[in-house]
Structures are given as structure tokens and as C-alpha cells.
Amino acid sequence: MQSQLLLSLRSIIICSFGFAQLPIEDYVRLPLPVGERSRTNGSGAHLKGFVYILKCNNGQYYTGSTSNLERRLEQHKNGEGARFTKQHLPVELVYVEEFSRIDEAFYREKQIQGWSRKKKEALINSDFEELHKLSECKNDSHC
């Protein structure tokens, strides 16, 4: 049975991956600069993109991006995703952002990958006050 994933701004994530159902309104999409390159769907239209965070069985987070979230989550679930998640199954979807272009999602993925665990958890928990605090520069030499 193929799992279903329904995404819209007013719906919830529903899937049969054993992931918790999370209201999509709890996710945030911050404005980001558009990358130089973008994939298209063959007709010239840009592919929609997603950035997601998975919590692995060892408690670590994996951040990825994709143009097909349902397919990518199924790959992770079946051990066909990234080597890291394959070695730390099962995984749980804990965060998703949707973008109008895949290159924006890729840029955001790289941004989040550079963050500390605490900063990722503030994003996952929609704790924007803590996220802002953790984003402040603490290096007197260049702030």
C-alpha cells in the first residue's frame, strides 16, 4: 500500500510512515535569496521544493531537501535514502518547509545543516524567540 502525503497550508501531514501528525501551520518559511540554478519539470516550470528534518533512532537530526517529499520519505523509510539515515533507522519526520523552487529548498537545507542542535530544535519546536537568541553573533571580533 502506497502511503499518502497531503500538503497544503491548511492541512496536516498524513502519512503511513509512523510519523507524528504535525500541523503544517506550525512550520515556518523564512524568505531566502533565490539560487542561481533551478530544476524544471520539463515544461519550463520550476519544481517545487521541500526541506525536511528527520530525527534518527540515535537522536541525531538529518536535514535534506527534495522535489518529491513523499517519495523521499519512502526511500528513507526503506533504507534507500542517505547513508546516514540508512544506518540509523527508523527515522521520524519532525519538520518540513515548502518552497516554490527546489533551489530555494536546497539553499535552506545547507543553511540548516550548519546550525547547532539547539538551533535546529528551536526551529522544530517553533520557538522563534530562542531561534533569534541562538542566531545572535557572539564573536566580538566581527559583530
Side-chain angles (χ1 to χ4, degrees):
M1 177 171 119
Q2 187 169 2
S3 60
Q4 293 181 320
L5 181 64
L6 305 173
L7 287 174
S8 74
L9 292 177
R10 290 178 178 64
S11 68
I12 59 172
I13 295 176
I14 302 171
C15 55
S16 62
F17 299 111
F19 302 146
Q21 293 183 356
L22 303 171
I24 197 74
E25 292 83 7
D26 287 349
Y27 306 135
V28 61
R29 180 178 186 272
L30 303 175
L32 300 169
V34 175
E36 303 247 343
R37 296 183 305 192
S38 178
R39 291 178 34 201
T40 61
N41 64 5
S43 66
H46 293 284
L47 291 176
K48 186 170 27 174
F50 301 90
V51 64
Y52 59 93
I53 301 176
L54 302 175
K55 187 172 185 178
C56 298
N57 73 345
N58 64 353
Q60 291 185 291
Y61 294 111
Y62 173 85
T63 305
S65 61
T66 184
S67 60
N68 186 330
L69 186 58
E70 180 180 1
R71 179 177 52 105
R72 189 64 176 147
L73 293 175
E74 187 69 30
Q75 288 172 335
H76 283 297
K77 175 190 168 203
N78 293 329
E80 301 164 356
R83 186 179 339 174
F84 182 82
T85 57
K86 183 178 183 177
Q87 295 171 349
H88 299 96
L89 289 171
V91 295
E92 175 187 2
L93 178 66
V94 294
Y95 184 80
V96 175
E97 287 182 36
E98 182 176 353
F99 295 85
S100 59
R101 294 170 47 139
I102 185 63
D103 58 329
E104 293 174 321
F106 179 76
Y107 177 85
R108 180 70 164 155
E109 172 194 358
K110 296 306 170 193
Q111 181 185 41
I112 294 171
Q113 285 176 341
W115 288 2
S116 68
R117 178 179 181 84
K118 285 185 178 185
K119 194 169 177 181
K120 289 176 188 176
E121 288 175 342
L123 178 66
I124 292 165
N125 296 322
S126 300
D127 187 347
F128 304 116
E129 187 175 314
E130 180 70 8
L131 186 61
H132 179 72
K133 188 171 94 176
L134 293 167
S135 297
E136 292 175 354
C137 180
K138 295 177 179 47
N139 186 340
D140 293 332
S141 67
H142 67 269
C143 292

